[in-house]
């Protein structure tokens, strides 16, 4: 068997495996689990347990902002935040919206449960 024939068979097999596994069309820099883990230190502040934004919260916000470099990354992170915010009991939306500013981070979207993540570049 020629090397070009072998290469073609391997390529076809790889394509079929990808189709069977249903790999996503685009890969994003952060998974929702990573976003939630980075923002977990913010929960005491946005639920009113503490009155000051903890430094680990700001570190998480900065990390998300730095890692979400593309439009798809930013929109994916935004959707994760929106989903998590909708599931958080006792959420103070005003506190959540103010977190980036208190951390000195300019996010291209507002944090919150009703953010339209599709409109952010």
């Amino acid at each position: 068997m020629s090397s070009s024939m072998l290469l073609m068979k391997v390529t076809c097999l790889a394509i079929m495996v990808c189709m069977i596994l249903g790999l996503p069309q685009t890969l994003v820099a952060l998974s929702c689990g990573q976003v939630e883990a980075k923002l977990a230190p913010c929960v005491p502040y946005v639920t009113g347990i503490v009155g000051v934004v903890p430094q680990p919260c700001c570190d998480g916000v900065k990390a998300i902002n730095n890692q979400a470099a593309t439009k798809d990354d930013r929109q994916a992170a935004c959707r994760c935040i929106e989903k998590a915010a909708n599931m958080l009991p006792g959420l103070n939306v005003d506190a959540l919206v103010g977190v980036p500013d208190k951390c000195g981070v300019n996010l291209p979207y507002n944090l919150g449960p009703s953010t339209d993540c599709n409109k952010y570049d």
Side-chain angles (χ1 to χ4, degrees):
M1 181 182 309
S2 72
S3 62
S4 62
M5 185 65 128
L6 179 61
L7 180 59
M8 189 167 90
K9 286 184 177 185
V10 169
T11 303
C12 287
L13 179 61
I15 291 171
M16 288 184 349
V17 168
C18 287
M19 289 172 61
I20 290 169
L21 293 177
L23 294 178
Q25 295 292 325
T26 59
L27 297 176
V28 293
L30 293 164
S31 69
C32 280
Q34 291 169 315
V35 169
E36 291 170 5
K38 290 180 187 309
L39 295 181
C42 302
V43 171
Y45 176 73
V46 301
T47 57
I49 295 171
V50 299
V52 178
V53 179
Q55 186 59 47
C57 171
C58 290
D59 295 342
V61 171
K62 290 174 185 174
I64 291 169
N65 191 46
N66 292 337
Q67 291 176 334
T70 69
K71 176 182 176 180
D72 287 341
D73 293 341
R74 289 186 295 275
Q75 288 181 346
C78 176
R79 285 186 198 95
C80 293
I81 295 166
E82 180 183 27
K83 179 181 172 186
N86 279 310
M87 296 174 29
L88 187 62
L91 174 68
N92 177 330
V93 176
D94 291 334
L96 178 62
V97 170
V99 166
D101 188 48
K102 291 186 181 296
C103 293
V105 177
N106 184 21
L107 293 180
Y109 47 82
N110 291 322
L111 298 178
S114 60
T115 300
D116 182 0
C117 299
N118 292 322
K119 71 178 189 176
Y120 295 103
D121 294 332

